[in-house]
Amino acid sequence: MKIDYAFLKNFLQAKESIQNLADLMTSIGFESEVIPKNTIEFDVTPNRGDFLSLKGVAREYSAITGKSIKLNLPKSNQRFQNNKSVISFIDKSACTHYCLGVVKNISNIKELSADKRRLLTQAEIPLIHPLVDLANYVMLEIGTPLHIFDLDKIAMPISVSYPKKQHKVKVIGGEAKHFQTSTLAIMDNDRIVAMAGIIGEESSAVSKNTTNIAIESAYFKPEKIINQSRLYGLTTDAGFRFERGVDPALQEFAIERYLKLLSEIASYNSVECYREGFSKSKIRAIKINIGDFEKFSDIKLPISQAINILKDLGFEVSKLSAGLLEVKVPTFRNDISIKEDIYEELLRITGYNNVPVIEEHINLPLINDGSRLDNRIKQFMVIRGFNEVQNMPFVSPQNLDKDSSKNIVVIVNPLREEEAVLRQSLLPQLISNFTKNFRRGF
């Protein structure tokens, strides 16, 4: 995830320099790098989809700095109703709830402000149309992807289900895809209008002539979206977030926030909001003992500090007795399920560097001569200032020598499109290691 530093600094009301802010995020588990054009790139692990927004970064920043951040995100209050003529059916095994905001007679559309446009471009999200750009901005702001349909190009009602047969669908951008029956689809009365959670169908997209729209906001289960992007060779910001899990409690708010911001760049005279599903998410409560945390980490942590850290991260905390807390897990943290997960959160913010190092002397078993020789070579190199690196064996085809292109071993299902072949030399990755470390001053 890439975020413009100027926008982020203002959003967080931060005083840190760009490098200090990147280092701060790295210290709590989000490896961050300052890249050209005054931007920070965050490396987010697959289990932390909640971090993939300005709001997510703000929670973490508040926890590590102890600064209270009051986010000003006004919304347009709406009443969401059930109407089968608008949303006829959703497959709840894959989509627990689905919302549509219908806006008509939109006129006098202006571009987003310069700072919002810069935020999008620095995040490598192309500017398409103000109505679409605004949806992408809301996604960056709160983490919930939105999709905008041209209302006049779809035939109501909408349904969310798996198609009964394969279809050929032209997605936004013009590329035709063979839509599989194992892929969740958004369908109108006539055809597939979107690949759920990933990309829309081209003929239903917004254009310069659009005056009526339908705003889609939904919760798709991560396990139903994951691998679908790779199956079709598509990489989208929405898919990236749905695969990791979005907050199942923000769908209505996302539409209301969009409508509030829409009123700042356009005029419209009709809004109706609909929903289907909405099984209430179960609140997970976990009891933790600060004494057990201290045994777990060897760190003495005042209970008041533990409570503040957890509250800053979005948890609800109740003190049951001396040293005993009940922690309610927020809906956006699908990676928290046991008390050790809570301990890890406290440890992460308190600082792994504060864990005392205990030296233990043990008798190692005898090793064979080959391993002993390897260790002697490693020791010889380390004494002379070398560092050992271990890289994945997958690289980009661009990193391979053109003369050896005939011997390329291509991976059938690569984890990333940029790492789709087996390496033939250690040198390109070593150069990459050196470059990254040099930029960080190591």
Side-chain angles (χ1 to χ4, degrees):
M1 179 177 69
K2 298 176 182 179
I3 299 182
D4 175 55
Y5 168 67
F7 197 101
L8 181 60
K9 182 181 180 182
N10 183 61
F11 190 87
L12 300 177
Q13 302 150 35
K15 295 182 180 179
E16 291 83 1
S17 67
I18 186 170
Q19 187 60 61
N20 288 344
L21 185 56
D23 292 343
L24 199 62
M25 292 295 109
T26 296
S27 73
I28 56 174
F30 301 99
E31 189 172 343
S32 308
E33 182 179 357
V34 176
I35 60 175
K37 297 185 179 180
N38 216 34
T39 301
I40 301 178
E41 182 173 13
F42 300 95
D43 188 5
V44 184
T45 54
N47 65 322
R48 291 304 307 273
D50 63 288
F51 184 79
L52 294 169
S53 66
L54 293 165
K55 190 176 181 180
V57 176
R59 282 191 294 261
E60 299 291 331
Y61 177 79
S62 179
I64 188 61
T65 61
K67 297 177 183 177
S68 177
I69 301 175
K70 293 184 178 180
L71 300 179
N72 182 28
L73 304 176
K75 62 185 179 112
S76 172
N77 293 322
Q78 301 293 324
R79 185 175 69 87
F80 285 75
Q81 54 188 310
N82 296 95
N83 188 329
K84 295 294 183 182
S85 66
V86 178
I87 308 171
S88 62
F89 171 79
I90 64 171
D91 186 331
K92 291 185 180 178
S93 70
C95 173
T96 58
H97 40 280
Y98 187 89
C99 300
L100 279 179
V102 176
V103 187
K104 295 182 179 179
N105 299 319
I106 303 172
S107 61
N108 303 318
I109 302 172
K110 298 182 293 186
E111 288 187 338
L112 271 62
S113 61
D115 61 335
K116 288 185 176 69
R117 295 200 308 274
R118 177 177 169 81
L119 177 70
L120 291 170
T121 55
Q122 295 302 89
E124 297 185 348
I125 298 176
L127 299 175
I128 300 170
H129 182 288
L131 298 175
V132 176
D133 299 340
L134 186 59
N136 287 330
Y137 170 75
V138 172
M139 177 185 69
L140 287 183
E141 188 180 66
I142 65 172
T144 301
L146 299 174
H147 183 71
I148 310 298
F149 296 106
D150 186 319
L151 186 63
D152 297 321
K153 297 178 182 177
I154 57 177
M156 293 296 196
I158 291 291
S159 63
V160 184
S161 61
Y162 292 95
K164 294 180 180 179
K165 62 180 182 178
Q166 292 188 9
H167 295 262
K168 191 173 183 179
V169 176
K170 185 179 287 188
V171 299
I172 292 173
E175 191 175 355
K177 301 291 182 181
H178 292 281
F179 205 103
Q180 306 295 312
T181 56
S182 59
T183 300
L184 189 66
I186 311 299
M187 293 181 275
D188 70 359
N189 204 38
D190 299 325
R191 69 196 193 284
I192 293 173
V193 293
M195 189 180 294
I198 299 174
I199 196 169
E201 182 260 349
E202 189 173 60
S203 68
S204 64
V206 168
S207 71
K208 63 181 181 180
N209 298 318
T210 297
T211 57
N212 304 309
I213 61 171
I215 312 158
E216 175 194 86
S217 180
Y219 179 76
F220 303 113
K221 293 183 179 180
E223 64 271 22
K224 303 299 181 180
I225 304 300
I226 197 166
N227 294 327
Q228 294 300 313
S229 295
R230 195 176 302 124
L231 176 64
Y232 295 98
L234 294 168
T235 302
T236 65
D237 290 280
F240 188 77
R241 285 162 173 78
F242 279 120
E243 284 181 351
R244 286 155 176 77
V246 302
D247 189 344
L250 278 186
Q251 283 63 49
E252 288 189 1
F253 176 82
I255 289 179
E256 292 176 324
R257 176 64 176 152
Y258 179 95
L259 291 171
K260 177 63 177 178
L261 294 172
L262 179 63
S263 67
E264 298 174 5
I265 66 165
S267 302
Y268 54 88
N269 61 15
S270 173
V271 177
E272 292 180 340
C273 293
Y274 304 91
R275 72 179 186 186
E276 187 65 33
F278 271 82
S279 53
K280 194 172 181 179
S281 301
K282 293 181 179 178
I283 301 297
R284 291 160 289 165
I286 301 173
K287 292 179 181 179
I288 67 166
N289 189 296
I290 293 300
D292 289 343
F293 168 75
E294 292 174 352
K295 293 177 183 177
F296 176 83
S297 64
D298 278 331
I299 293 177
K300 293 286 185 182
L301 183 67
I303 192 168
S304 58
Q305 186 180 350
I307 291 173
N308 288 337
I309 289 173
L310 292 172
K311 284 185 175 180
D312 286 339
L313 290 172
F315 295 86
E316 290 184 29
V317 185
S318 302
K319 189 174 180 180
L320 301 179
S321 62
L324 185 63
L325 302 175
E326 181 181 72
V327 181
K328 291 184 179 179
V329 182
T331 52
F332 54 81
R333 289 303 300 270
N334 58 14
D335 60 315
I336 303 291
S337 58
I338 57 177
K339 64 181 180 179
E340 284 77 12
D341 293 331
I342 303 293
Y343 294 160
E344 189 173 341
E345 289 299 289
L346 293 173
L347 184 56
R348 185 171 62 85
I349 300 301
T350 305
Y352 294 116
N353 292 335
N354 293 321
V355 177
V357 177
I358 301 174
E359 294 186 5
E360 294 186 4
H361 298 281
I362 58 175
N363 294 320
L364 294 174
L366 292 175
I367 54 179
N368 62 52
D369 290 340
S371 298
R372 183 178 287 118
L373 178 61
D374 286 347
N375 287 336
R376 288 178 65 186
I377 293 172
K378 288 180 181 180
Q379 187 176 22
F380 176 85
M381 301 297 284
V382 168
I383 290 172
R384 283 153 181 79
F386 288 86
N387 292 310
E388 181 181 7
V389 296
Q390 294 183 351
N391 292 311
M392 294 289 284
F394 316 125
V395 297
S396 167
Q398 297 176 352
N399 289 342
L400 297 182
D401 190 339
K402 293 181 180 179
D403 295 334
S404 60
S405 59
K406 294 180 181 179
N407 300 318
I408 291 177
V409 178
V410 179
I411 301 166
V412 177
N413 293 310
L415 296 174
R416 300 172 61 198
E417 292 299 322
E418 311 90 73
E419 298 175 346
V421 298
L422 289 179
R423 69 185 176 202
Q424 296 178 328
S425 169
L426 299 176
L427 189 58
Q429 289 173 303
L430 289 174
I431 293 173
S432 177
N433 295 142
F434 172 79
T435 303
K436 286 184 179 179
N437 288 334
F438 182 77
R439 285 176 181 170
R440 296 174 185 175
F442 297 144

